[in-house]
Amino acid sequence: MVWEKRWLLWSLGLLVACTPVATGESIPATPFLPTRAEIAVVNPVAGGESAPAATSIVREFTPLPATNTPRPTMTPPAPVTTRDPAAPPLMPTSIPPTRLPGPSDITPTYPADDPDYQGRTIEALTLRSYGRGDLSTIRTMENAGPFMRYEFRYDSDGEVVGGFLNVPHEGDALPVVLVLHGYVNPSEYDLLAYTATYADALARAGFMVFHPNYRHHPPDGDEPPYNTFRVDYAVDVLNLVSFIRSGSVDPDDPLRRVDSDRLFLFGHSMGGGIAQRVMTVRPEWIQAAVLYASMSGDERRNYERIREWAGERHWGKEVFAPETVLAAVSPLNFIDRWIAPVAVHHGTGDEIVPPEWSAELCAELTARRHPVACFEYKNYPHNFYGPAETLLIDRTVRFFNEQR
């Protein structure tokens, strides 16, 4: 019945929001995603806009042409060379040559028991524990007016992971947001990444904000080893969340002021994909999540796209993984575990991550009657700027406040 209704709605070219499911009502399993769906056409408007309900899809605004110059895109760059075009393509230094598949006209095969796949399934990540070791602030970076900025370090499965932390001067039992950045070449990464804009805005709104770098990013290295499906980055975030939830009894430790029952995720691009994995593995830890131009929860789709950016000789371990592996590592196949309300934001001018992916996620969550708010920003690229960025921040703050 659900699929019949969805077929009718799609045939009319409309997508409507569903109200939360009543207690005890069962939702039929959805075996696959639609190939295409619409989401809202939303653009910056003057102040006074009321926040949408968590299950709404906003439609009432007119397109805003993209006239400003966006900031550089934070995605894996395609290799560029002026060498002889007949010569073999250069290999990125971050990927060991032994990991690369053979000639492009041969489809490599990898067995399901390949060591690079072990421990990376959703089930394996769910069964393991997190938060062994220590989290500490190592220095005060600056007094930024309404908040202090610190640099922190923590242990993550034998790795040292750093980042920055924004702590409001006022308030106790502070809600916490983890801001998860997208792909930035580790050799070019800076502690205050481009997503510091969002972290600072959330701190000014009264949230304690953790911004992890992920492992092997400066100042703790700049040449990551092979990280199949980038699961290691999600493990880093899961370890950090575990530390945050544990709090602290030290009166001088910022963790003393954490409300561990109010933890939120904000993920851009690759960070959105990491957020999806985190809220699938430990759904009970997350109060709400914002996905901004997010990668897909379908890992085959992700790595087919990444190979377009980086060149067809790269990321074969992911693209050519056995179907059983792809199914077991993709959060999309476990979306029924999600508990947290979700807000999805995407620009129609995004040439890095297809906006259709967010549209289809919205359709899937709506069909399951999961609380979701979806926003489409006409003509905006992968990285928002100007009015769209301002509105994204405003909507994010209000969405998180509604879930507090």
Side-chain angles (χ1 to χ4, degrees), residues 132-209:
R132 295 181 179 180
D134 185 48
L135 165 67
S136 60
T137 56
I138 63 171
R139 70 182 178 100
T140 301
M141 296 179 66
E142 63 175 316
N143 185 338
F147 63 89
M148 292 291 293
R149 193 193 314 278
Y150 302 91
E151 184 177 357
F152 68 88
R153 290 282 190 279
Y154 67 98
D155 299 318
S156 183
D157 288 15
E159 303 283 352
V160 176
V161 180
F164 70 85
L165 165 64
N166 292 345
V167 182
H169 290 299
E170 303 295 332
D172 291 310
L174 295 171
V176 176
V177 181
L178 279 78
V179 171
L180 309 178
H181 67 80
Y183 178 86
V184 181
N185 189 323
S187 65
E188 301 172 359
Y189 185 84
D190 185 75
L191 180 62
L192 294 181
Y194 71 104
T195 33
T197 298
Y198 308 111
D200 292 357
L202 287 162
R204 287 192 290 270
F207 295 86
M208 185 181 296
V209 183

Side-chain angles (χ1 to χ4, degrees), residues 210-334:
F210 286 81
H211 187 291
N213 295 341
Y214 317 135
R215 65 184 64 186
H216 299 288
H217 283 63
D220 301 301
D222 61 4
E223 292 188 3
Y226 200 82
N227 179 3
T228 314
F229 296 112
R230 291 174 174 162
V231 169
D232 291 346
Y233 295 160
V235 169
D236 293 341
V237 175
L238 285 160
N239 279 318
L240 177 57
V241 174
S242 181
F243 285 126
I244 295 169
R245 285 171 49 83
S246 298
S248 176
V249 295
D250 183 346
D252 297 323
D253 189 334
L255 287 177
R256 178 185 59 81
R257 299 166 59 199
V258 163
D259 183 346
S260 60
D261 292 326
R262 294 188 294 169
L263 293 174
F264 305 95
L265 298 177
F266 176 99
H268 176 239
S269 193
M270 181 183 73
I274 293 170
Q276 292 182 56
R277 196 177 305 279
V278 169
M279 61 194 293
T280 303
V281 172
R282 286 291 186 272
E284 70 279 10
W285 287 358
I286 307 303
Q287 187 89 3
V290 168
L291 305 178
Y292 160 34
S294 175
M295 296 294 285
S296 174
D298 179 345
E299 293 297 0
R300 177 181 291 283
R301 172 178 279 184
N302 284 336
Y303 283 91
E304 286 176 346
R305 186 70 174 181
I306 289 173
R307 276 168 64 87
E308 293 179 16
W309 302 330
E312 65 177 9
R313 290 177 58 85
H314 307 145
W315 302 104
K317 279 277 186 171
E318 288 77 11
V319 172
F320 300 114
E323 290 298 330
T324 54
V325 172
L326 287 165
V329 301
S330 295
L332 183 61
N333 294 329
F334 302 85

Side-chain angles (χ1 to χ4, degrees), residues 355-368:
E356 290 85 356
W357 294 2
S358 287
E360 291 167 7
L361 177 61
C362 285
E364 182 68 14
L365 291 173
T366 300
R368 292 174 178 272

